Amino acid sequence: MTSTNTRLLAGGAAALALAAGLGFGVARLTAPGAPTAPAAPKAEDSKTAKDTLTMTPAVLQASGIKVEAASTGGLNDEILASATVAAAPDGQAVLTAHAQGAVTRIYKQLGDPVRAGEIVALVESREAASIAAERSVAAAKAALARQVLTRELRLFEQRVSPRQDVERAQAESTAAAAEVRRAQAAAGAARVAADGRSVMVTSPIGGRITSAPAALGAFIQSETELFRVADPQRIQVQAAVPAAEAQRIVPGDPAFVEVPGGRSLAATVRAVTPTLNAETRAATVVLTLASLDGLQPGQLVRARIRPRSATLRTGVVVADEAVQSIGGRDAVFVRTPEGFRVQSVTLGSRGGGRAEIAAGLNGGQMVATRNAFLLKAELEKGAADEE
């Protein structure tokens, strides 16, 4: 680490820890291998040096500074909406017993992990005993019908029994086999346990128990909810969008989901409901996330949707906190291989935590957003040290 970095880490630690909870050191960009006492730079070179900061990836990560790409278009092209993280249709399951009875065993509790097909509880039931008995009777009748058919075939070969007796035995054996399949299907649908008197409560998906109203010894009716399981990897975001704005959105439109802490997650519009919510009079836009990044069902977030049908504009949009006032001019910090470079910009409209850049920045350029003020503070501190 250079002496400048060491000085910045020591001298700026208190101020930066207070502002961002983390200290970081940056230094103005200097040419490698420069002599100890270089000649005085030209005015143009001096301005370039004052507008440039060096920062290694490790220091950038420790500082908490977020870097994002500037998006193309105008601020008015984005649709802002409050949203909620919800379980996907195949990411949540309600577990019930398919027969009434008493809860005799509970294997899982609230918060426990569950595998797909795993038994979470047992319910002792008369219906289960009846279904198991029917299955046993059907199996016994099928076995007898097969024996009769075997005997009739042997007698027919010996020319003792007529053909109609064989045909009748074949029909009875086929019917008995069909009854076995019906009884087995009924037992499987009810999830009758091996003991023949209980039904198993199993989970169709893997995940965690999010609700567990089941109580040991309680007598329950058929299809009473006993547990609820959610898979944290199968979630979606549901945004409430005014009807007029929802008409501009189609599946496949890009979007971003803003979560607490200044993070922004990429998403895509999966569907737009054709009807409005009766209470909010808003349409529901369902977003699919590219990365979950710790989101949980029930979490409140904000969605930024950019309809592809929006009129193309020459400006770009960045997070409002990316724009800093430096030397009386509006500017952003553009990421470079060595660190950051101050880029003067012309502001358009601002709102909803976003700022439109009318000129001075191109779409796709990486700029500092969250904690960008730390770069400004270091830049001004370096200028003061030179004076």
Side-chain angles (χ1 to χ4, degrees), residues 249-255 267-271 286 306 308:
I249 303 173
V250 296
D253 283 345
T268 304
V269 174
R270 185 178 65 82
V286 182
R306 180 177 293 276
R308 288 176 294 179

Side-chain angles (χ1 to χ4, degrees), residues 62-85:
S63 69
I65 296 174
K66 181 75 173 179
V67 177
E68 295 180 6
S71 57
T72 305
L75 185 62
N76 295 332
D77 292 339
E78 291 187 338
I79 298 174
L80 303 179
S82 58
T84 305
V85 180

Side-chain angles (χ1 to χ4, degrees), residues 118-358:
E118 186 174 5
I119 301 173
V120 297
L122 289 177
V123 175
E124 192 171 275
S125 169
R126 292 180 179 178
E127 294 179 27
S130 176
I131 293 173
E134 289 179 2
R135 181 177 58 185
S136 299
V137 170
K141 288 182 177 179
L144 178 60
R146 287 193 299 272
Q147 292 176 358
V148 171
L149 176 59
T150 301
R151 184 174 64 253
E152 291 297 334
L153 285 172
R154 186 171 58 253
L155 294 175
F156 176 73
E157 291 173 354
Q158 296 173 357
R159 301 181 182 277
V160 175
S161 295
R163 178 180 293 276
Q164 55 264 34
D165 289 348
V166 174
E167 293 175 347
R168 182 169 50 252
Q170 287 178 331
E172 291 176 353
S173 178
T174 301
E179 182 62 20
V180 169
R181 291 193 296 271
R182 185 203 65 79
Q184 289 176 339
R191 297 189 178 94
V192 176
D195 61 8
R197 63 175 186 272
S198 301
V199 292
M200 302 176 291
V201 180
T202 60
S203 176
I205 64 171
R208 288 187 177 275
I209 302 291
T210 58
S211 176
L216 193 64
F219 186 87
I220 60 166
Q221 296 298 321
S222 175
E223 309 306 331
T224 299
E225 179 178 332
L226 300 179
F227 300 90
R228 191 178 290 264
V229 177
D231 184 351
Q233 300 301 314
R234 301 179 187 176
I235 61 176
Q236 62 188 17
V237 174
Q238 299 175 355
V241 178
E245 299 286 6
Q247 296 177 359
R248 302 166 50 199
I249 303 173
V250 296
D253 283 345
F256 288 92
V257 175
E258 297 179 347
V259 299
R263 293 178 298 153
S264 184
L265 307 178
T268 304
V269 174
R270 185 178 65 82
V272 182
T273 58
T275 58
L276 304 181
N277 184 284
E279 297 179 358
T280 64
R281 309 307 301 170
T284 300
V285 177
V286 182
L287 306 178
T288 300
L289 293 160
S291 172
L292 305 183
D293 202 12
L295 292 181
Q296 297 292 332
Q299 188 173 352
L300 299 179
V301 295
R302 188 175 73 162
R304 291 190 288 109
I305 305 170
R306 180 177 293 276
R308 288 176 294 179
S309 59
T311 303
L312 294 178
R313 302 174 65 177
T314 57
V316 297
V317 177
V318 297
D320 193 52
E321 57 187 335
V323 181
Q324 301 291 320
S325 179
I326 301 175
R329 56 188 171 127
D330 292 321
V332 297
F333 287 92
V334 177
R335 186 79 168 105
T336 66
E338 295 80 14
F340 290 93
R341 170 176 52 82
V342 177
Q343 178 69 46
S344 297
V345 296
T346 301
L347 281 182
S349 57
R350 304 175 85 157
R354 307 288 289 170
E356 182 180 359
I357 307 298

